[in-house]
Amino acid sequence: MITKPRVLYIEDDVDSRRLVSRVLMTHGYDVVLAADGLEGVTLARESRPQLVLMDINLPNLDGRVVTTRLRSLVDLEDIPIVALTANTSSGNRELA
């Protein structure tokens, strides 16, 4: 059986989660959704995604803390993490 590549999308905005997950599923990805940083870390441990897409500004744990936690876990340290944000304020690119 061929398994679909798994993407974990961590985003607190419901509409963004719906849109991005729909696009990814249309392109053949298995999508795991988390509504905040803490849930994202938990789901990353459980689901072992091949890619993490994540908002920078998240409730409970922000994107920087989530990234640090994922990088500290041996099984997850090499998973690519892509920062996504609608916040265009100065400094977000450098922060990511």
Side-chain angles (χ1 to χ4, degrees), residues 31-95:
V31 180
V32 177
L33 298 172
D36 63 48
L38 190 57
E39 182 182 24
V41 172
T42 300
L43 289 175
R45 287 180 173 154
E46 293 172 2
S47 68
R48 306 273 191 238
Q50 283 77 44
L51 174 67
V52 175
L53 300 176
M54 176 172 45
D55 190 6
I56 295 171
N57 300 308
L58 294 165
N60 296 325
L61 301 175
D62 70 22
R64 291 179 298 176
V65 175
V66 172
T67 298
T68 299
R69 289 198 182 178
L70 295 180
R71 293 288 177 246
S72 72
L73 301 169
V74 175
D75 293 347
L76 303 174
E77 66 186 356
D78 293 329
I79 296 172
I81 299 171
V82 177
L84 301 176
T85 186
N87 187 340
T88 59
S89 64
S90 177
N92 272 329
R93 177 181 227 157
E94 293 76 17
L95 180 63

